[in-house]
Amino acid sequence: AGVALDTVYASVGPKPALFRLLVEAAISGTGAPVPAEERDYVRAIRTEPDPGRKLERYARAIREIQGRLAPLFRVLQQAAAAEPELSTLWRDIAERRARNMRALAAELAAAGALREGVSVEEAADVIWATNSSELYALLVFERGWGPERYERWLADSWRRLLLQDA
């Protein structure tokens, strides 16, 4: 960009702050951080009454997000060895994702949609693990799945694993 690295750090902050900004922009898809509750896909999921369609909407959002986020994750994996603060940043983001997945799982449970024997915590963990950048990168980048195939598989997997009437 023709800007000195020190200028970037003075404007944004150290590498972890810069990387957090990149991650937040990738998640929001707007070029700037947007709080989760203000994201269009979150609003659409919350207002969707059908649990299966709720999961389909989320799978679509995850496909779009991971298309932007998974490449950053790959960079982060390499950089974390030299920058422990980046490793901490990724753990913080993963914990936030886990809290958000618990809220989604609680919505499914409140609607009476979870399969018998599947707790809110288990449902949240399943959604959290399967919507990860790691799994997206494995299937799309390593195994050559198209993003649309990943989205269909993700929605179908969530339905089968989590919902009563799958």
Side-chain angles (χ1 to χ4, degrees):
V3 177
L5 194 53
D6 288 342
T7 303
V8 173
Y9 291 152
S11 299
V12 179
K15 286 180 191 175
L18 178 60
F19 205 86
R20 179 180 294 278
L21 184 62
L22 289 171
V23 166
E24 295 296 341
I27 291 170
S28 75
T30 65
V34 175
E37 60 278 354
E38 294 177 21
R39 296 179 192 141
D40 290 341
Y41 76 88
V42 172
R43 290 178 176 155
I45 290 166
R46 287 192 174 146
T47 60
E48 174 58 59
D50 180 81
R53 283 196 301 267
K54 190 180 287 273
L55 292 175
E56 288 170 6
R57 285 178 184 256
Y58 190 49
R60 184 177 319 115
I62 289 299
R63 174 190 40 98
E64 293 169 357
I65 290 167
Q66 291 300 352
R68 299 181 299 264
L69 185 61
L72 291 174
F73 168 72
R74 292 182 128 185
V75 170
L76 177 62
Q77 279 183 311
Q78 295 171 356
E83 298 280 342
E85 299 88 8
L86 292 176
S87 219
T88 301
L89 169 66
W90 193 256
R91 278 194 307 278
D92 292 347
I93 291 168
E95 284 303 315
R96 185 183 70 196
R97 274 184 45 240
R99 286 190 303 275
N100 291 339
M101 295 313 92
R102 189 171 193 304
L104 175 57
E107 284 181 35
L108 296 172
L114 289 181
R115 285 181 44 208
E116 187 175 330
V118 176
S119 68
V120 168
E121 291 76 19
E122 182 179 350
D125 286 348
V126 167
I127 298 168
W128 177 85
T130 54
N131 78 9
S132 68
S133 294
E134 297 93 331
L135 185 57
Y136 181 90
L138 286 171
L139 294 175
V140 175
F141 301 147
E142 302 297 326
R143 302 306 307 155
W145 286 25
E148 292 79 13
R149 179 180 178 192
Y150 167 82
E151 176 187 333
R152 285 189 309 273
W153 172 83
L154 189 59
D156 184 56
S157 296
W158 286 340
R159 281 176 173 264
R160 291 173 187 239
L161 292 169
L162 303 174
L163 300 184
Q164 286 187 41
D165 299 323

